């Protein structure tokens, strides 16, 4: 746990988690793709502020956010991913595999997708091996698979194939958890598209493409 006074944490939370660069607090925008869709009114301002904060926040401040609930963890993971602070890989991987809180896992998957290495793909694979067989659990399986598919495309690997093949673990999880009308939104292609949307949104503003 990172030592920080209540007042210090309150300031940190307000600066990075609940700051408003659109019509919603940052953590809410990071929880869904609305702000990242092409042509969104606030997209430029939101992205620039996110990139600036990702560069400005210190490692101890990120650790403090990661010590708390889903809102600061989700935000911290995005800031880590945007700035590609790979020193946090092990910490994020542990949090993802433990799955202690809701929603935050999507941020961990985004960061691992941004890091873009075999080590990150290994974490995502381990997560899917652990949680896809648990068809009663709705955690971050879609985000993890989308991130792994992106990494496969970038790395020239095929780790996701054993999950996505006919009668594979992904199909079994979807059939157990989804209404038939929702299944078109849970295809591997759609999950990859969502991951690309998040990563390409950031790339488009930080000049890393």
């Amino acid at each position: 746990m990172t030592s920080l006074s209540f007042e210090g944490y309150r300031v940190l939370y307000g600066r990075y988690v609940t700051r408003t660069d659109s019509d919603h607090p940052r953590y809410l925008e990071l929880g869904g793709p609305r702000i990242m869709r092409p042509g969104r009114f606030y997209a430029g301002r939101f992205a620039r502020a996110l990139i600036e904060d990702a560069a400005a926040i210190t490692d101890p401040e990120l650790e403090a956010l990661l010590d708390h609930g889903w809102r600061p963890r989700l935000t911290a993971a995005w800031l880590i991913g945007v700035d590609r602070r790979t020193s946090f890989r092990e910490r994020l991987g542990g949090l993802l595999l433990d799955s202690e809180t809701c929603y935050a896992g999507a941020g961990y998957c985004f960061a691992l997708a941004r890091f873009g290495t075999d080590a990150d793909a290994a974490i995502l694979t381990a997560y899917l091996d652990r949680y896809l067989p648990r068809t009663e659990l709705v955690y971050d399986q879609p985000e993890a698979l989308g991130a792994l598919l992106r990494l496969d495309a970038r790395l020239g690997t095929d780790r996701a194939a054993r999950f996505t093949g006919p009668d594979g673990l992904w199909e079994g999880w979807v059939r157990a958890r989804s209404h038939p009308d929702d299944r078109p939104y849970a295809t591997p292609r759609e999950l990859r598209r969502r991951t690309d949307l998040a990563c390409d949104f950031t790339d488009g503003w930080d000049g890393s493409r």
Side-chain angles (χ1 to χ4, degrees), residues 87-122:
S87 60
F88 282 90
R89 176 182 289 114
E90 185 175 348
R91 180 78 192 280
L92 296 184
L95 289 169
L96 178 63
L97 289 167
D98 289 344
S99 291
E100 294 175 341
T101 65
C102 60
Y103 306 122
Y108 311 149
C109 293
F110 164 78
L112 295 171
R114 284 276 291 175
F115 294 166
T117 72
D118 286 312
D120 308 297

PDB file of all heavy atoms in Angstrom, residues 87-122:
ATOM      1  N   SER A  87       6.900  -0.877 -16.606  1.00  0.00           N
ATOM      2  CA  SER A  87       7.321  -1.298 -15.260  1.00  0.00           C
ATOM      3  C   SER A  87       6.127  -1.747 -14.426  1.00  0.00           C
ATOM      4  O   SER A  87       6.303  -2.430 -13.408  1.00  0.00           O
ATOM      5  CB  SER A  87       8.050  -0.157 -14.549  1.00  0.00           C
ATOM      6  OG  SER A  87       7.202   0.982 -14.413  1.00  0.00           O
ATOM      7  N   PHE A  88       4.916  -1.379 -14.832  1.00  0.00           N
ATOM      8  CA  PHE A  88       3.707  -1.773 -14.113  1.00  0.00           C
ATOM      9  C   PHE A  88       3.104  -3.077 -14.659  1.00  0.00           C
ATOM     10  O   PHE A  88       2.043  -3.490 -14.193  1.00  0.00           O
ATOM     11  CB  PHE A  88       2.649  -0.669 -14.198  1.00  0.00           C
ATOM     12  CG  PHE A  88       2.901   0.477 -13.260  1.00  0.00           C
ATOM     13  CD1 PHE A  88       3.648   1.559 -13.667  1.00  0.00           C
ATOM     14  CD2 PHE A  88       2.396   0.464 -11.963  1.00  0.00           C
ATOM     15  CE1 PHE A  88       3.892   2.630 -12.808  1.00  0.00           C
ATOM     16  CE2 PHE A  88       2.628   1.517 -11.091  1.00  0.00           C
ATOM     17  CZ  PHE A  88       3.388   2.603 -11.513  1.00  0.00           C
ATOM     18  N   ARG A  89       3.767  -3.717 -15.610  1.00  0.00           N
ATOM     19  CA  ARG A  89       3.203  -4.921 -16.225  1.00  0.00           C
ATOM     20  C   ARG A  89       2.845  -5.982 -15.181  1.00  0.00           C
ATOM     21  O   ARG A  89       1.735  -6.529 -15.178  1.00  0.00           O
ATOM     22  CB  ARG A  89       4.170  -5.499 -17.242  1.00  0.00           C
ATOM     23  CG  ARG A  89       3.677  -6.810 -17.860  1.00  0.00           C
ATOM     24  CD  ARG A  89       4.677  -7.394 -18.819  1.00  0.00           C
ATOM     25  NE  ARG A  89       4.756  -6.600 -20.047  1.00  0.00           N
ATOM     26  CZ  ARG A  89       5.847  -5.911 -20.409  1.00  0.00           C
ATOM     27  NH1 ARG A  89       6.925  -5.915 -19.658  1.00  0.00           N
ATOM     28  NH2 ARG A  89       5.842  -5.219 -21.535  1.00  0.00           N
ATOM     29  N   GLU A  90       3.775  -6.300 -14.305  1.00  0.00           N
ATOM     30  CA  GLU A  90       3.534  -7.349 -13.317  1.00  0.00           C
ATOM     31  C   GLU A  90       2.398  -6.977 -12.375  1.00  0.00           C
ATOM     32  O   GLU A  90       1.556  -7.812 -12.027  1.00  0.00           O
ATOM     33  CB  GLU A  90       4.808  -7.625 -12.521  1.00  0.00           C
ATOM     34  CG  GLU A  90       4.686  -8.779 -11.544  1.00  0.00           C
ATOM     35  CD  GLU A  90       5.989  -9.103 -10.849  1.00  0.00           C
ATOM     36  OE1 GLU A  90       7.053  -8.594 -11.262  1.00  0.00           O
ATOM     37  OE2 GLU A  90       5.953  -9.879  -9.859  1.00  0.00           O
ATOM     38  N   ARG A  91       2.362  -5.714 -11.959  1.00  0.00           N
ATOM     39  CA  ARG A  91       1.293  -5.276 -11.042  1.00  0.00           C
ATOM     40  C   ARG A  91      -0.076  -5.380 -11.727  1.00  0.00           C
ATOM     41  O   ARG A  91      -1.036  -5.893 -11.138  1.00  0.00           O
ATOM     42  CB  ARG A  91       1.545  -3.832 -10.601  1.00  0.00           C
ATOM     43  CG  ARG A  91       0.489  -3.269  -9.651  1.00  0.00           C
ATOM     44  CD  ARG A  91       0.698  -3.783  -8.247  1.00  0.00           C
ATOM     45  NE  ARG A  91      -0.441  -3.503  -7.397  1.00  0.00           N
ATOM     46  CZ  ARG A  91      -0.701  -2.329  -6.805  1.00  0.00           C
ATOM     47  NH1 ARG A  91       0.123  -1.301  -6.972  1.00  0.00           N
ATOM     48  NH2 ARG A  91      -1.749  -2.186  -6.024  1.00  0.00           N
ATOM     49  N   LEU A  92      -0.177  -4.895 -12.938  1.00  0.00           N
ATOM     50  CA  LEU A  92      -1.448  -4.962 -13.646  1.00  0.00           C
ATOM     51  C   LEU A  92      -1.848  -6.403 -13.929  1.00  0.00           C
ATOM     52  O   LEU A  92      -3.020  -6.765 -13.825  1.00  0.00           O
ATOM     53  CB  LEU A  92      -1.377  -4.174 -14.955  1.00  0.00           C
ATOM     54  CG  LEU A  92      -1.161  -2.663 -14.846  1.00  0.00           C
ATOM     55  CD1 LEU A  92      -1.217  -2.035 -16.237  1.00  0.00           C
ATOM     56  CD2 LEU A  92      -2.171  -2.009 -13.925  1.00  0.00           C
ATOM     57  N   GLY A  93      -0.870  -7.228 -14.285  1.00  0.00           N
ATOM     58  CA  GLY A  93      -1.166  -8.631 -14.523  1.00  0.00           C
ATOM     59  C   GLY A  93      -1.703  -9.324 -13.290  1.00  0.00           C
ATOM     60  O   GLY A  93      -2.657 -10.108 -13.365  1.00  0.00           O
ATOM     61  N   GLY A  94      -1.122  -9.009 -12.136  1.00  0.00           N
ATOM     62  CA  GLY A  94      -1.612  -9.588 -10.894  1.00  0.00           C
ATOM     63  C   GLY A  94      -3.019  -9.136 -10.563  1.00  0.00           C
ATOM     64  O   GLY A  94      -3.861  -9.943 -10.145  1.00  0.00           O
ATOM     65  N   LEU A  95      -3.293  -7.860 -10.763  1.00  0.00           N
ATOM     66  CA  LEU A  95      -4.634  -7.345 -10.507  1.00  0.00           C
ATOM     67  C   LEU A  95      -5.654  -7.967 -11.456  1.00  0.00           C
ATOM     68  O   LEU A  95      -6.779  -8.296 -11.061  1.00  0.00           O
ATOM     69  CB  LEU A  95      -4.643  -5.822 -10.653  1.00  0.00           C
ATOM     70  CG  LEU A  95      -3.921  -5.027  -9.559  1.00  0.00           C
ATOM     71  CD1 LEU A  95      -3.782  -3.562  -9.967  1.00  0.00           C
ATOM     72  CD2 LEU A  95      -4.665  -5.133  -8.225  1.00  0.00           C
ATOM     73  N   LEU A  96      -5.272  -8.127 -12.718  1.00  0.00           N
ATOM     74  CA  LEU A  96      -6.185  -8.736 -13.685  1.00  0.00           C
ATOM     75  C   LEU A  96      -6.500 -10.174 -13.295  1.00  0.00           C
ATOM     76  O   LEU A  96      -7.668 -10.590 -13.291  1.00  0.00           O
ATOM     77  CB  LEU A  96      -5.568  -8.687 -15.080  1.00  0.00           C
ATOM     78  CG  LEU A  96      -6.387  -9.332 -16.208  1.00  0.00           C
ATOM     79  CD1 LEU A  96      -7.710  -8.604 -16.399  1.00  0.00           C
ATOM     80  CD2 LEU A  96      -5.592  -9.355 -17.506  1.00  0.00           C
ATOM     81  N   LEU A  97      -5.486 -10.941 -12.964  1.00  0.00           N
ATOM     82  CA  LEU A  97      -5.692 -12.344 -12.629  1.00  0.00           C
ATOM     83  C   LEU A  97      -6.468 -12.508 -11.327  1.00  0.00           C
ATOM     84  O   LEU A  97      -7.247 -13.447 -11.181  1.00  0.00           O
ATOM     85  CB  LEU A  97      -4.354 -13.065 -12.555  1.00  0.00           C
ATOM     86  CG  LEU A  97      -3.660 -13.277 -13.909  1.00  0.00           C
ATOM     87  CD1 LEU A  97      -2.216 -13.705 -13.722  1.00  0.00           C
ATOM     88  CD2 LEU A  97      -4.406 -14.303 -14.743  1.00  0.00           C
ATOM     89  N   ASP A  98      -6.285 -11.591 -10.388  1.00  0.00           N
ATOM     90  CA  ASP A  98      -7.023 -11.679  -9.119  1.00  0.00           C
ATOM     91  C   ASP A  98      -8.482 -11.265  -9.280  1.00  0.00           C
ATOM     92  O   ASP A  98      -9.354 -11.760  -8.563  1.00  0.00           O
ATOM     93  CB  ASP A  98      -6.359 -10.807  -8.055  1.00  0.00           C
ATOM     94  CG  ASP A  98      -5.031 -11.371  -7.583  1.00  0.00           C
ATOM     95  OD1 ASP A  98      -4.768 -12.566  -7.834  1.00  0.00           O
ATOM     96  OD2 ASP A  98      -4.240 -10.613  -6.987  1.00  0.00           O
ATOM     97  N   SER A  99      -8.742 -10.304 -10.195  1.00  0.00           N
ATOM     98  CA  SER A  99     -10.110  -9.835 -10.478  1.00  0.00           C
ATOM     99  C   SER A  99     -10.883  -9.509  -9.205  1.00  0.00           C
ATOM    100  O   SER A  99     -11.977 -10.013  -8.966  1.00  0.00           O
ATOM    101  CB  SER A  99     -10.870 -10.879 -11.316  1.00  0.00           C
ATOM    102  OG  SER A  99     -10.351 -10.953 -12.612  1.00  0.00           O
ATOM    103  N   GLU A 100     -10.321  -8.613  -8.404  1.00  0.00           N
ATOM    104  CA  GLU A 100     -10.942  -8.265  -7.126  1.00  0.00           C
ATOM    105  C   GLU A 100     -12.101  -7.297  -7.273  1.00  0.00           C
ATOM    106  O   GLU A 100     -12.983  -7.253  -6.411  1.00  0.00           O
ATOM    107  CB  GLU A 100      -9.889  -7.647  -6.199  1.00  0.00           C
ATOM    108  CG  GLU A 100      -8.791  -8.601  -5.783  1.00  0.00           C
ATOM    109  CD  GLU A 100      -7.722  -7.924  -4.969  1.00  0.00           C
ATOM    110  OE1 GLU A 100      -7.622  -6.680  -5.010  1.00  0.00           O
ATOM    111  OE2 GLU A 100      -6.979  -8.643  -4.289  1.00  0.00           O
ATOM    112  N   THR A 101     -12.094  -6.475  -8.312  1.00  0.00           N
ATOM    113  CA  THR A 101     -13.126  -5.458  -8.471  1.00  0.00           C
ATOM    114  C   THR A 101     -13.709  -5.527  -9.877  1.00  0.00           C
ATOM    115  O   THR A 101     -13.083  -6.040 -10.807  1.00  0.00           O
ATOM    116  CB  THR A 101     -12.566  -4.040  -8.246  1.00  0.00           C
ATOM    117  OG1 THR A 101     -11.607  -3.747  -9.276  1.00  0.00           O
ATOM    118  CG2 THR A 101     -11.888  -3.917  -6.889  1.00  0.00           C
ATOM    119  N   CYS A 102     -14.897  -4.976 -10.032  1.00  0.00           N
ATOM    120  CA  CYS A 102     -15.522  -4.901 -11.349  1.00  0.00           C
ATOM    121  C   CYS A 102     -14.904  -3.767 -12.161  1.00  0.00           C
ATOM    122  O   CYS A 102     -14.263  -2.874 -11.622  1.00  0.00           O
ATOM    123  CB  CYS A 102     -17.026  -4.691 -11.198  1.00  0.00           C
ATOM    124  SG  CYS A 102     -17.472  -3.188 -10.308  1.00  0.00           S
ATOM    125  N   TYR A 103     -15.099  -3.824 -13.475  1.00  0.00           N
ATOM    126  CA  TYR A 103     -14.793  -2.749 -14.424  1.00  0.00           C
ATOM    127  C   TYR A 103     -13.311  -2.460 -14.626  1.00  0.00           C
ATOM    128  O   TYR A 103     -12.894  -2.167 -15.743  1.00  0.00           O
ATOM    129  CB  TYR A 103     -15.507  -1.438 -14.029  1.00  0.00           C
ATOM    130  CG  TYR A 103     -16.992  -1.582 -13.848  1.00  0.00           C
ATOM    131  CD1 TYR A 103     -17.604  -1.261 -12.635  1.00  0.00           C
ATOM    132  CD2 TYR A 103     -17.795  -2.080 -14.868  1.00  0.00           C
ATOM    133  CE1 TYR A 103     -18.977  -1.414 -12.457  1.00  0.00           C
ATOM    134  CE2 TYR A 103     -19.165  -2.229 -14.694  1.00  0.00           C
ATOM    135  CZ  TYR A 103     -19.747  -1.890 -13.491  1.00  0.00           C
ATOM    136  OH  TYR A 103     -21.098  -2.044 -13.325  1.00  0.00           O
ATOM    137  N   ALA A 104     -12.509  -2.485 -13.564  1.00  0.00           N
ATOM    138  CA  ALA A 104     -11.109  -2.080 -13.690  1.00  0.00           C
ATOM    139  C   ALA A 104     -10.337  -2.955 -14.656  1.00  0.00           C
ATOM    140  O   ALA A 104      -9.387  -2.504 -15.304  1.00  0.00           O
ATOM    141  CB  ALA A 104     -10.431  -2.083 -12.321  1.00  0.00           C
ATOM    142  N   GLY A 105     -10.726  -4.220 -14.792  1.00  0.00           N
ATOM    143  CA  GLY A 105      -9.996  -5.130 -15.658  1.00  0.00           C
ATOM    144  C   GLY A 105      -9.917  -4.673 -17.104  1.00  0.00           C
ATOM    145  O   GLY A 105      -8.951  -4.983 -17.809  1.00  0.00           O
ATOM    146  N   ALA A 106     -10.925  -3.939 -17.558  1.00  0.00           N
ATOM    147  CA  ALA A 106     -10.879  -3.415 -18.928  1.00  0.00           C
ATOM    148  C   ALA A 106      -9.682  -2.486 -19.103  1.00  0.00           C
ATOM    149  O   ALA A 106      -9.055  -2.455 -20.164  1.00  0.00           O
ATOM    150  CB  ALA A 106     -12.175  -2.679 -19.247  1.00  0.00           C
ATOM    151  N   GLY A 107      -9.363  -1.726 -18.063  1.00  0.00           N
ATOM    152  CA  GLY A 107      -8.187  -0.857 -18.112  1.00  0.00           C
ATOM    153  C   GLY A 107      -6.895  -1.637 -18.151  1.00  0.00           C
ATOM    154  O   GLY A 107      -5.955  -1.282 -18.876  1.00  0.00           O
ATOM    155  N   TYR A 108      -6.813  -2.719 -17.378  1.00  0.00           N
ATOM    156  CA  TYR A 108      -5.613  -3.545 -17.398  1.00  0.00           C
ATOM    157  C   TYR A 108      -5.400  -4.142 -18.795  1.00  0.00           C
ATOM    158  O   TYR A 108      -4.273  -4.178 -19.295  1.00  0.00           O
ATOM    159  CB  TYR A 108      -5.711  -4.686 -16.380  1.00  0.00           C
ATOM    160  CG  TYR A 108      -6.132  -4.288 -14.986  1.00  0.00           C
ATOM    161  CD1 TYR A 108      -6.861  -5.161 -14.189  1.00  0.00           C
ATOM    162  CD2 TYR A 108      -5.804  -3.041 -14.447  1.00  0.00           C
ATOM    163  CE1 TYR A 108      -7.254  -4.824 -12.906  1.00  0.00           C
ATOM    164  CE2 TYR A 108      -6.195  -2.686 -13.164  1.00  0.00           C
ATOM    165  CZ  TYR A 108      -6.928  -3.584 -12.400  1.00  0.00           C
ATOM    166  OH  TYR A 108      -7.326  -3.248 -11.134  1.00  0.00           O
ATOM    167  N   CYS A 109      -6.488  -4.606 -19.410  1.00  0.00           N
ATOM    168  CA  CYS A 109      -6.375  -5.193 -20.741  1.00  0.00           C
ATOM    169  C   CYS A 109      -5.940  -4.149 -21.766  1.00  0.00           C
ATOM    170  O   CYS A 109      -5.132  -4.442 -22.667  1.00  0.00           O
ATOM    171  CB  CYS A 109      -7.710  -5.820 -21.153  1.00  0.00           C
ATOM    172  SG  CYS A 109      -8.175  -7.259 -20.162  1.00  0.00           S
ATOM    173  N   PHE A 110      -6.463  -2.939 -21.643  1.00  0.00           N
ATOM    174  CA  PHE A 110      -6.036  -1.858 -22.533  1.00  0.00           C
ATOM    175  C   PHE A 110      -4.540  -1.613 -22.390  1.00  0.00           C
ATOM    176  O   PHE A 110      -3.814  -1.503 -23.395  1.00  0.00           O
ATOM    177  CB  PHE A 110      -6.806  -0.569 -22.212  1.00  0.00           C
ATOM    178  CG  PHE A 110      -6.180   0.667 -22.790  1.00  0.00           C
ATOM    179  CD1 PHE A 110      -6.340   0.976 -24.131  1.00  0.00           C
ATOM    180  CD2 PHE A 110      -5.426   1.514 -21.993  1.00  0.00           C
ATOM    181  CE1 PHE A 110      -5.751   2.121 -24.679  1.00  0.00           C
ATOM    182  CE2 PHE A 110      -4.832   2.649 -22.529  1.00  0.00           C
ATOM    183  CZ  PHE A 110      -4.996   2.962 -23.874  1.00  0.00           C
ATOM    184  N   ALA A 111      -4.054  -1.530 -21.165  1.00  0.00           N
ATOM    185  CA  ALA A 111      -2.634  -1.266 -20.940  1.00  0.00           C
ATOM    186  C   ALA A 111      -1.771  -2.378 -21.531  1.00  0.00           C
ATOM    187  O   ALA A 111      -0.752  -2.115 -22.188  1.00  0.00           O
ATOM    188  CB  ALA A 111      -2.355  -1.107 -19.451  1.00  0.00           C
ATOM    189  N   LEU A 112      -2.158  -3.624 -21.328  1.00  0.00           N
ATOM    190  CA  LEU A 112      -1.380  -4.737 -21.863  1.00  0.00           C
ATOM    191  C   LEU A 112      -1.388  -4.716 -23.395  1.00  0.00           C
ATOM    192  O   LEU A 112      -0.370  -5.005 -24.030  1.00  0.00           O
ATOM    193  CB  LEU A 112      -1.932  -6.059 -21.339  1.00  0.00           C
ATOM    194  CG  LEU A 112      -1.801  -6.270 -19.821  1.00  0.00           C
ATOM    195  CD1 LEU A 112      -2.575  -7.506 -19.384  1.00  0.00           C
ATOM    196  CD2 LEU A 112      -0.343  -6.374 -19.398  1.00  0.00           C
ATOM    197  N   ALA A 113      -2.522  -4.353 -23.979  1.00  0.00           N
ATOM    198  CA  ALA A 113      -2.579  -4.229 -25.434  1.00  0.00           C
ATOM    199  C   ALA A 113      -1.649  -3.125 -25.926  1.00  0.00           C
ATOM    200  O   ALA A 113      -0.992  -3.259 -26.967  1.00  0.00           O
ATOM    201  CB  ALA A 113      -4.009  -3.947 -25.885  1.00  0.00           C
ATOM    202  N   ARG A 114      -1.566  -2.027 -25.186  1.00  0.00           N
ATOM    203  CA  ARG A 114      -0.677  -0.917 -25.555  1.00  0.00           C
ATOM    204  C   ARG A 114       0.792  -1.297 -25.394  1.00  0.00           C
ATOM    205  O   ARG A 114       1.634  -0.883 -26.198  1.00  0.00           O
ATOM    206  CB  ARG A 114      -0.980   0.298 -24.684  1.00  0.00           C
ATOM    207  CG  ARG A 114      -2.224   1.057 -25.055  1.00  0.00           C
ATOM    208  CD  ARG A 114      -1.985   2.057 -26.169  1.00  0.00           C
ATOM    209  NE  ARG A 114      -1.148   3.167 -25.736  1.00  0.00           N
ATOM    210  CZ  ARG A 114      -0.714   4.134 -26.556  1.00  0.00           C
ATOM    211  NH1 ARG A 114      -1.010   4.089 -27.844  1.00  0.00           N
ATOM    212  NH2 ARG A 114       0.020   5.127 -26.103  1.00  0.00           N
ATOM    213  N   PHE A 115       1.120  -2.089 -24.363  1.00  0.00           N
ATOM    214  CA  PHE A 115       2.507  -2.507 -24.175  1.00  0.00           C
ATOM    215  C   PHE A 115       2.977  -3.327 -25.370  1.00  0.00           C
ATOM    216  O   PHE A 115       4.077  -3.169 -25.859  1.00  0.00           O
ATOM    217  CB  PHE A 115       2.662  -3.319 -22.894  1.00  0.00           C
ATOM    218  CG  PHE A 115       2.422  -2.559 -21.612  1.00  0.00           C
ATOM    219  CD1 PHE A 115       2.239  -3.237 -20.421  1.00  0.00           C
ATOM    220  CD2 PHE A 115       2.387  -1.173 -21.589  1.00  0.00           C
ATOM    221  CE1 PHE A 115       2.022  -2.562 -19.231  1.00  0.00           C
ATOM    222  CE2 PHE A 115       2.164  -0.472 -20.400  1.00  0.00           C
ATOM    223  CZ  PHE A 115       1.982  -1.179 -19.213  1.00  0.00           C
ATOM    224  N   GLY A 116       2.136  -4.269 -25.781  1.00  0.00           N
ATOM    225  CA  GLY A 116       2.313  -4.905 -27.078  1.00  0.00           C
ATOM    226  C   GLY A 116       3.384  -5.967 -27.211  1.00  0.00           C
ATOM    227  O   GLY A 116       3.882  -6.187 -28.305  1.00  0.00           O
ATOM    228  N   THR A 117       3.734  -6.673 -26.122  1.00  0.00           N
ATOM    229  CA  THR A 117       4.801  -7.663 -26.207  1.00  0.00           C
ATOM    230  C   THR A 117       4.287  -9.074 -25.932  1.00  0.00           C
ATOM    231  O   THR A 117       3.144  -9.265 -25.502  1.00  0.00           O
ATOM    232  CB  THR A 117       5.921  -7.351 -25.198  1.00  0.00           C
ATOM    233  OG1 THR A 117       5.456  -7.634 -23.871  1.00  0.00           O
ATOM    234  CG2 THR A 117       6.369  -5.896 -25.300  1.00  0.00           C
ATOM    235  N   ASP A 118       5.162 -10.045 -26.140  1.00  0.00           N
ATOM    236  CA  ASP A 118       4.820 -11.427 -25.837  1.00  0.00           C
ATOM    237  C   ASP A 118       4.500 -11.607 -24.357  1.00  0.00           C
ATOM    238  O   ASP A 118       3.643 -12.427 -24.003  1.00  0.00           O
ATOM    239  CB  ASP A 118       5.972 -12.353 -26.228  1.00  0.00           C
ATOM    240  CG  ASP A 118       6.090 -12.541 -27.731  1.00  0.00           C
ATOM    241  OD1 ASP A 118       5.059 -12.815 -28.377  1.00  0.00           O
ATOM    242  OD2 ASP A 118       7.205 -12.418 -28.261  1.00  0.00           O
ATOM    243  N   ALA A 119       5.175 -10.866 -23.491  1.00  0.00           N
ATOM    244  CA  ALA A 119       4.909 -10.965 -22.058  1.00  0.00           C
ATOM    245  C   ALA A 119       3.478 -10.552 -21.740  1.00  0.00           C
ATOM    246  O   ALA A 119       2.818 -11.158 -20.877  1.00  0.00           O
ATOM    247  CB  ALA A 119       5.899 -10.100 -21.279  1.00  0.00           C
ATOM    248  N   ASP A 120       2.986  -9.545 -22.421  1.00  0.00           N
ATOM    249  CA  ASP A 120       1.616  -9.091 -22.201  1.00  0.00           C
ATOM    250  C   ASP A 120       0.616 -10.108 -22.735  1.00  0.00           C
ATOM    251  O   ASP A 120      -0.410 -10.385 -22.104  1.00  0.00           O
ATOM    252  CB  ASP A 120       1.412  -7.730 -22.874  1.00  0.00           C
ATOM    253  CG  ASP A 120       2.474  -6.742 -22.446  1.00  0.00           C
ATOM    254  OD1 ASP A 120       2.532  -6.426 -21.251  1.00  0.00           O
ATOM    255  OD2 ASP A 120       3.274  -6.325 -23.302  1.00  0.00           O
ATOM    256  N   ALA A 121       0.926 -10.683 -23.876  1.00  0.00           N
ATOM    257  CA  ALA A 121       0.068 -11.724 -24.428  1.00  0.00           C
ATOM    258  C   ALA A 121      -0.001 -12.931 -23.503  1.00  0.00           C
ATOM    259  O   ALA A 121      -1.056 -13.564 -23.358  1.00  0.00           O
ATOM    260  CB  ALA A 121       0.577 -12.139 -25.808  1.00  0.00           C
ATOM    261  N   ALA A 122       1.110 -13.252 -22.841  1.00  0.00           N
ATOM    262  CA  ALA A 122       1.132 -14.384 -21.917  1.00  0.00           C
ATOM    263  C   ALA A 122       0.213 -14.136 -20.726  1.00  0.00           C
ATOM    264  O   ALA A 122      -0.474 -15.057 -20.249  1.00  0.00           O
ATOM    265  CB  ALA A 122       2.565 -14.646 -21.447  1.00  0.00           C
TER     266      ALA A 122
END
